[in-house]
Amino acid sequence: MAKTYYEEFNIANAQKLEALLTELPEFTEEFFVGIAMRTSVLTRINYATDLRIFFDYLIRRVRKFKDVSAVSDFTLSHLNQVQKRDIEAFLVALEAYDFNGKILKNTEKGKARKLSSVRSMFKYFYNNEELDENVASKVSMPKLHDKEIIRLDDEEVVRLLDNTEREEKFDTKHQNTYNLNTRDRDIALITLLVGTGIRVSECVGLNIDDIDLEKNAFVVTRKGGNRSVLYFSDEVNDALSIYLPTRAARLKKAGIDDEPALFLSLQNRRITVRAVENVVKKMTRTVNPLKSVSPHKLRSTYGTALYRQTKDIYVVAEVLGHRDVNTTKKHYAAISEDIKRSAAKQVVLREEKD
C-alpha cells in the first residue's frame, strides 16, 4: 500500500532530524530522546538546528572552550561551564552570525526561538541533575515587537479572484501559456485557500477522496495528524467542479490512474508547498504589489472575515484548527479590535430619555 503524503512527510523529517543529530555533541541524544514523546518532529528539527549554531558559537567564540576543536568534542562537562553572559553574548552575535560560510541574520523572533531551544536543553539536563545550575533560565527573552498583520481587504479579495480567472495577465507569451495550463488548478487553489482558511500544508496534503462536492465538505489533516471535516461555500464548490475534470483529463492523457493528490504539478505529481506559495505570490502581486502575501496571509484574511460574520471567536478557532483561542486572538489582531469595539458599544452611560 502506498504511503500517504503525511507518512512520507514524517519519514523525510525523521531522516532530516537524524542527519542534524550527527552534527551535535553526543550527550544531546539523551535530550532529544527525552523530549520525543511530547514534541513533534518539526519542533525537534528546530531545536537541533538552533543548538547546532549555539555549540558552533561556543567553541569558536568563547575563550574557555578554545581547546574544543569540534562540536562533536563538546561534553556535558563543558556545558556545565557555560555562564549566563555566554548565552547573552550568543544572542548579540546572532545579529549577523557566520555559520558554515553563510551569514545568518536573526530578527527578534529568530533570537527568541534560539534562546527557547537553549533553555529547553538546559532545563532538561538540570531537571535530570546533570547540570549544577540552569543558567539559561536567567537570560531574558528578547522583547518582541508586534508585526503588522497583513491581510487582503474585501475589494482586494474580489480583484484576486477576478485576476486569477483572467486568461491573459502577464507580460510574456510564455507566462500566459503557462497560466493557461494551470489556470483551472490555480483558480481552485486560490479560492479554496481564501474561502476556507486552511494551512498551506493542509492544502497540499489533500487527496481527491477528501472532497465531497455534494455536501460542500472536505476532510483535512491538521497539525499532529488529527482529521477534521470542514465545509466550503458554493463559490469554492464551483471552482473545484471546474478543476476536477481538467485534473482527470490530464492524468488520463498521461496514463496515470493512481495519483491520489487533489492539486497536481505540471509533472502530474502532488504540488509542493513552495509551488503553492509561488502561485499565491504571483497572483496577489497583480492585486497589490505593496503587500507581500503568503498563503498564511490568506488564512488571516479568511479568519478575520469569518469572525466579522459570526462574531464568535470560538467558531473561528475551531475552523482554523487552533487549540487555544488565544492563538486566534494573537494572530488575528483585527478580531481583537472588533471584540473591543463591540464590547464598548454594550456599555451605556446614560439611558435615552423618552
Side-chain angles (χ1 to χ4, degrees), residues 62-105:
V62 180
R63 291 181 181 179
K64 73 184 83 172
F65 303 124
K66 65 180 180 180
D67 294 331
V68 181
S69 58
V71 167
S72 58
D73 297 326
F74 202 90
T75 66
L76 197 55
S77 177
H78 289 125
L79 190 67
N80 211 22
Q81 299 174 44
V82 174
Q83 297 177 302
K84 174 174 176 281
R85 63 173 176 266
D86 298 327
I87 301 175
E88 290 172 335
F90 168 63
L91 296 178
V92 173
L94 288 175
E95 289 284 346
Y97 186 72
D98 183 353
F99 180 72
N100 287 345
K102 294 182 179 180
I103 301 298
L104 306 179
K105 295 182 179 181

Side-chain angles (χ1 to χ4, degrees), residues 331-350:
H331 290 287
Y332 302 92
I335 292 178
S336 295
E337 291 301 314
D338 279 1
I339 290 173
K340 288 185 285 187
R341 191 178 296 112
S342 177
K345 293 179 180 179
Q346 306 304 314
V347 179
V348 179
L349 301 179
R350 291 188 292 181

